[in-house]
Amino acid sequence: MREPRWVGWARRLVLGFLTLFTALPLYAMATSALKPLGDVQGDWHWIPTTITFRPFADIWTTIPLGRYFLNSLVVSGAATVLSVTIAVFAAYAISRFRFPGRRIFSVTVLSTQMFPGILFLLPLFLIFVNLGNATGIALYGSRLGLILTYLTFSLPFAIWMLAGYFDSIPRELDEAAMVDGNGPVGALLRIVVPAAMPGIVAVAIYSFMTAWGEVLFASVMTDSGTRTLAVGLQEYSTEVQVYWNQVMAASLIVSVPIVAGFLLLQRFLVAGLTAGAVK
C-alpha cells in the first residue's frame, strides 16, 4: 500500500530538523576552535572574521593534555578488554549451561543497572582507601582503581547483552565442534566467538564509550597524575580566564577516537544491537 505524500514530507521535515539540531552545535564548536580568544569572547558571528589554528597547538601546553589523553586511552582500553573477556565467558555459561542459581545470577546482573552511579561513589572510595591501607596496593588515585571502577558498571550490561546474543546462535554449532574433539572452551573460542563478533564489538564500543566520557568517578578517584580527559578539560577554565577556543579545539580532538571507532565498526555495531530483534 502506497503511503500518503504528506507522510514523506513529514519524515523529511523531522529528519531535517534533527540534522540541523545536531549540526549547529558541532558547527559552533568547530568555528569557535578556529577563532582567536577575543573573537570567541566578543559578539557571536556565524562566519569567523579571523581564522587561526593556534588553539590546536596551545591546547597541549596550557594543560598536560597529552598525559590526560594517555590516561583515558589506557583506562578505557583496559576496562573494555577486561569487560569483554569476562563477559564472553560469563554469558556463554548463562546461555549454554543450566546450574543452580543461574536465574538469580542473571536477574542480579541486570538489576545492577537500576541504581545510579553516584550511589556507589562513597562505598567504592572507602573500599579503595581501606584496601590500600591494608595491602599497600594503591587503588585510589591510580589507573588500576579507575579500571576496576569502570569494570563494575560496564560488565553487567556486557554479560546481559552477550547472553542474549549467544542464545540466538544455534546450539548445534557447539555440538558439532565438540564432535570434532573440542571442549566447551574450544567450542566457545573457535565457533561461538567468531559467530558472535557483531555483538562482541557492540559491547566493546559501549564499554569504551562509558569509560571514555565518564566524569563523576574520574573526578574523585584520580589525582593530577592519573586524571582523564573528561576531568582534565575543566582546567582550561581558571580563576581569571576561560580559554573557550582551546576548550572547543580540545573537545574536537577528544571526540576523534569515538567518531573513528563508530565509522570503522558501524556495521558490527548495528548488527550487534539488532541481533535477536525478530527472534
Side-chain angles (χ1 to χ4, degrees), residues 40-271:
V40 179
Q41 294 176 332
D43 295 334
W44 171 257
H45 298 282
W46 285 102
I47 300 177
T49 56
T50 303
I51 295 179
T52 176
F53 291 93
R54 184 69 184 178
F56 288 92
D58 292 340
I59 57 176
W60 305 99
T61 55
T62 303
I63 67 173
L65 186 65
R67 185 172 68 215
Y68 299 159
F69 204 97
L70 178 62
N71 289 337
S72 291
L73 282 177
V74 172
V75 170
S76 301
T80 300
V81 171
L82 288 174
S83 178
V84 171
T85 302
I86 298 173
V88 164
F89 288 95
Y92 184 72
I94 294 174
S95 174
R96 292 298 192 263
F97 300 102
R98 299 295 180 265
F99 52 87
R102 171 181 173 274
R103 190 173 187 83
I104 296 177
F105 175 77
S106 301
V107 173
T108 302
V109 166
L110 185 59
S111 64
T112 58
Q113 303 298 299
M114 298 168 51
F115 302 99
I118 195 171
L119 187 66
F120 302 99
L121 181 59
L122 182 58
L124 280 175
F125 174 80
L126 295 176
I127 290 173
F128 285 176
V129 171
N130 291 330
L131 280 177
N133 295 334
T135 63
I137 300 176
L139 293 177
Y140 171 72
S142 67
R143 292 174 178 172
L144 176 60
L146 202 57
I147 291 170
L148 294 177
T149 300
Y150 292 159
L151 189 63
T152 61
F153 295 102
S154 61
L155 188 56
F157 176 83
I159 294 174
W160 172 73
M161 183 172 180
L162 285 181
Y165 200 98
F166 288 164
D167 287 340
S168 66
I169 299 176
R171 297 175 181 269
E172 288 76 9
L173 295 177
D174 304 47
E175 297 172 357
M178 293 180 184
V179 169
D180 291 338
N182 293 287
V185 176
L188 169 64
L189 299 179
R190 292 185 174 90
I191 303 298
V192 178
V193 168
M197 192 55 64
I200 294 174
V201 171
V203 167
I205 293 176
Y206 167 82
S207 300
F208 189 87
M209 288 180 55
T210 301
W212 186 262
E214 201 280 326
V215 176
L216 177 62
F217 288 89
S219 61
V220 176
M221 299 293 188
T222 60
D223 53 26
S224 58
T226 58
R227 196 162 293 152
T228 59
L229 283 171
V231 180
L233 292 180
Q234 300 176 11
E235 296 183 11
Y236 287 111
S237 175
T238 65
E239 295 180 357
V240 297
Q241 185 67 276
V242 179
Y243 298 95
W244 289 112
N245 55 348
Q246 295 187 37
V247 172
M248 299 303 172
S251 298
L252 289 174
I253 298 298
V254 168
S255 64
V256 168
I258 298 297
V259 174
F262 264 104
L263 293 178
L264 292 174
L265 304 172
Q266 182 180 10
R267 64 188 184 93
F268 292 103
L269 179 63
V270 174

